Amino acid sequence: EVQLVESGGGLVQPGGSLRLSCAASGFTFSSYWMSWVRQAPGKGLEWVANIKQDGSEKYYVDSVKGRFTISRDNAKNSLYLQMNSLRAEDTAVYYCARDPTYYGYPHFDYWGQGTLVTVSS
Amino acid sequence: AIRITQSPSSLSASTGDRVTITCRASQGISSYLAWYQQKPGKAPKLLIYAASTLQSGVPSRFSGSGSGTDFTLTISCLQSEDFATYYCQQYYSYPPITFGPGTKVDIK
């Protein structure tokens, strides 16, 4: 059974940092592009970043470029999102999601349960 | 960035109704469109990809159509478990991957 389990969310002050993790199981993690998608309270879905199977390609939404870094450790079946210089508008539930297409035509067939990040003083 | 609009933003329907949700892209995206269902407090669930391909395990009352800029999600006979918010998402051109703003389907 495919499982994605996020962790690392919490309350952080504006300008602070946080590192999210996503533990994957039930599939060959190293064979899939992976993404982070977020959802602000009461709002819609926003794609944040994705990363190729071997980590050689990474893409970001403009609003997080230079502040967030996506990475992965295929040996640990884990996906990460390092978030620096956090802003109030980064407050959201962050989901990790699997892209089922090998060549990165990203739609998402499995999602984690999400982890809440709250940026507030 | 490709902008995605959805209509309506919300609708009220009864069990057994046929429901249609429309998604429009700001430029042609071929058939690179997916539909998701999200219930409160839960992660989204993939319903349809490639505009019209039903994800494994999704009931056949869900169907998708369209290509280019205009797409439709149809629920042929609304069930109680279908009351949720529905999002479309383009993956023709990125970054960024973009989602529509969502359509909330609630009980009339």
Side-chain angles (χ1 to χ4, degrees):
Chain A
E1 179 194 5
V2 172
Q3 283 198 314
L4 299 169
V5 180
E6 301 94 337
S7 60
L11 175 64
V12 60
Q13 291 189 338
S17 298
L18 215 53
R19 188 194 195 206
L20 305 183
S21 300
C22 172
S25 61
F27 66 102
T28 305
F29 179 71
S30 59
S31 296
Y32 292 85
W33 285 76
M34 297 294 295
S35 276
W36 288 98
V37 178
R38 67 184 178 183
Q39 187 169 36
K43 303 297 185 182
L45 300 168
E46 181 184 37
W47 171 80
V48 174
N50 70 344
I51 185 168
K52 193 177 178 179
Q53 290 93 335
D54 61 0
S56 61
E57 294 183 36
K58 305 174 185 181
Y59 301 98
Y60 300 90
V61 68
D62 282 351
S63 60
V64 309
K65 276 182 188 174
R67 300 189 300 123
F68 289 12
T69 302
I70 189 172
S71 63
R72 64 192 297 162
D73 185 334
N74 288 340
K76 295 183 177 180
N77 292 334
S78 293
L79 177 71
Y80 305 102
L81 187 68
Q82 177 67 43
M83 303 186 295
N84 299 330
S85 304
L86 282 160
R87 306 167 180 167
E89 54 265 35
D90 296 318
T91 294
V93 173
Y94 285 73
Y95 296 101
C96 70
R98 188 182 85 165
D99 170 5
T101 64
Y102 184 84
Y103 293 105
Y105 287 93
H107 56 283
F108 310 112
D109 62 346
Y110 285 95
W111 299 64
Q113 85 288 352
T115 187
L116 176 62
V117 173
T118 304
V119 184
S120 175
S121 55
Chain B
I2 296 175
R3 297 180 306 278
I4 303 293
T5 57
Q6 281 183 241
S7 60
S9 57
S10 65
L11 65 91
S12 295
S14 301
T15 303
D17 284 354
R18 181 182 182 89
V19 167
T20 299
I21 299 168
T22 296
C23 179
R24 176 164 289 174
S26 61
Q27 65 187 75
I29 59 170
S30 185
S31 295
Y32 292 97
L33 187 100
W35 289 96
Y36 300 87
Q37 175 194 69
Q38 187 179 33
K39 297 181 179 180
K42 300 295 186 181
K45 173 187 175 183
L46 177 65
L47 298 175
I48 286 167
Y49 61 95
S52 60
T53 303
L54 201 64
Q55 173 70 357
S56 175
V58 174
S60 59
R61 63 180 179 272
F62 291 92
S63 64
S65 65
S67 67
T69 59
D70 294 318
F71 302 85
T72 299
L73 173 71
T74 299
I75 310 172
S76 61
C77 182
L78 198 67
Q79 301 299 302
S80 57
E81 60 266 33
D82 301 335
F83 293 99
T85 300
Y86 293 85
Y87 296 93
C88 57
Q89 174 234 322
Q90 70 83 21
Y91 51 102
Y92 174 77
S93 174
Y94 81 100
I97 297 159
T98 46
F99 290 86
T103 296
K104 185 176 181 180
V105 177
D106 62 19
I107 301 172
K108 183 183 288 183

